[in-house]
Amino acid sequence: MTHDNLESTYLAYLDALNARRFDALDRYVCDELVYNDRPLTREEYAAMIAEDTRAVPDLRYEAHLLSTHGDIVACRLWFDCTPKTTFLGLEPTGRPVSFAEHVFYRFEGERIAHVWSLIDREAVASQFDR
Amino acid sequence: MTHDNLESTYLAYLDALNARRFDALDRYVCDELVYNDRPLTREEYAAMIAEDTRAVPDLRYEAHLLSTHGDIVACRLWFDCTPKTTFLGLEPTGRPVSFAEHVFYRFEGERIAHVWSLIDREAVASQFDR
């Protein structure tokens, strides 16, 4: 797959998440994947993201920086959102928070097979404490 | 600059860090840069890294995943090391720790102009607590 294809596939995956089209994830995510060293089925992965979007109804995945090379996609995602229930183990304050996630993906064909994600939990926690 | 050039420049930068050749950083880092939204001179940036290597003498920057695209380098760095003094605000236990850093760089020409870094502080903290 070329760079442009992988980039457009990844951006379409983010669009599906932002539209809450979790039933379309079979197009973008392998049947089984590894998320931060944890083996998950696609259904378990989708349920994890769906849970985040229940806690944070306005959660929107925005690609701030994007680099694709070979079968790797690297993205700095940026979130501006207002958690409504417990999110990342923190209780909501009703105020909006902004934070980054730095995430790498290895694709097999056109689908995600491995995710390595780091979320800036310190930034979220410091905003919950304000 | 082509992909291959940017990748080899970045790997040479990691080699310089691993060899503690901080006086060679003018080759790889702009005179002034932005590190996680904080403006720094190259000397301040080098001093920050040198301080980490004093706290962790065997700190070695290993590129686990690397993606370069345009003027962006994205790297998942992996560290296996043994902190000797306070590191990331944590007191050393004498035991080795393993953790990841997910870092994006924007290059201007052949030099780093902007760094967005997230370190897996939770992983480090959990290993300090063992």
Side-chain angles (χ1 to χ4, degrees):
Chain A
M1 187 149 54
T2 66
H3 276 166
D4 288 349
N5 280 352
L6 194 56
E7 182 170 319
S8 62
T9 296
Y10 178 67
L11 292 173
Y13 161 74
L14 294 185
D15 285 345
L17 297 185
N18 287 331
R20 314 300 189 232
R21 287 188 280 106
F22 301 121
D23 56 348
L25 289 190
D26 59 339
R27 165 76 183 76
Y28 306 109
V29 180
C30 290
D31 300 356
E32 299 189 334
L33 71 160
V34 179
Y35 176 82
N36 284 351
D37 297 330
R38 190 153 56 106
L40 291 179
T41 65
R42 180 176 56 245
E43 289 70 24
E44 290 169 331
Y45 181 69
M48 187 177 71
I49 296 174
E51 177 59 32
D52 285 343
T53 63
R54 274 192 293 274
V56 189
D58 66 348
L59 192 72
R60 189 174 163 75
Y61 295 75
E62 296 274 4
H64 172 213
L65 296 167
L66 182 55
S67 173
T68 62
H69 195 178
D71 57 0
I72 299 293
V73 169
C75 190
R76 174 177 159 91
L77 291 162
W78 186 255
F79 300 94
D80 290 305
C81 61
T82 306
K84 296 298 185 192
T85 59
T86 308
F87 179 59
L88 301 175
L90 299 160
E91 295 307 312
T93 62
R95 289 191 295 273
V97 294
S98 300
F99 62 96
E101 176 181 358
H102 289 188
V103 57
F104 289 78
Y105 306 84
R106 185 174 58 73
F107 277 66
E108 283 179 8
E110 298 194 335
R111 303 199 299 176
I112 294 165
H114 205 131
V115 183
W116 295 265
S117 162
L118 285 182
I119 292 169
D120 192 352
R121 292 169 187 269
E122 283 197 349
V124 181
S126 71
Q127 293 170 77
F128 273 61
D129 286 345
R130 275 189 311 208
Chain B
M1 184 149 55
T2 65
H3 276 166
D4 288 349
N5 280 351
L6 194 57
E7 182 170 318
S8 62
T9 296
Y10 178 67
L11 292 173
Y13 160 74
L14 294 185
D15 285 345
L17 297 185
N18 287 331
R20 312 302 188 233
R21 286 187 281 106
F22 301 121
D23 56 349
L25 289 189
D26 59 339
R27 165 76 185 76
Y28 306 108
V29 180
C30 289
D31 299 356
E32 299 188 335
L33 73 158
V34 179
Y35 177 83
N36 284 350
D37 298 331
R38 189 154 55 107
L40 292 179
T41 64
R42 180 176 55 247
E43 288 71 22
E44 290 169 333
Y45 180 69
M48 187 176 72
I49 297 173
E51 177 59 31
D52 285 343
T53 63
R54 273 191 295 273
V56 189
D58 65 348
L59 192 72
R60 186 173 165 75
Y61 295 75
E62 295 276 4
H64 171 214
L65 297 167
L66 181 56
S67 173
T68 62
H69 195 177
D71 58 359
I72 299 293
V73 169
C75 189
R76 174 177 158 92
L77 291 163
W78 186 256
F79 301 93
D80 290 305
C81 60
T82 305
K84 296 298 185 191
T85 59
T86 308
F87 179 57
L88 301 174
L90 299 161
E91 296 306 312
T93 62
R95 288 191 295 274
V97 295
S98 300
F99 63 96
E101 175 180 359
H102 289 189
V103 57
F104 290 77
Y105 306 83
R106 186 173 57 72
F107 276 68
E108 284 179 8
E110 297 194 335
R111 303 199 299 176
I112 294 165
H114 205 132
V115 183
W116 293 266
S117 162
L118 285 182
I119 292 169
D120 192 352
R121 292 170 187 269
E122 283 197 349
V124 181
S126 71
Q127 292 171 76
F128 274 61
D129 285 346
R130 277 189 308 211

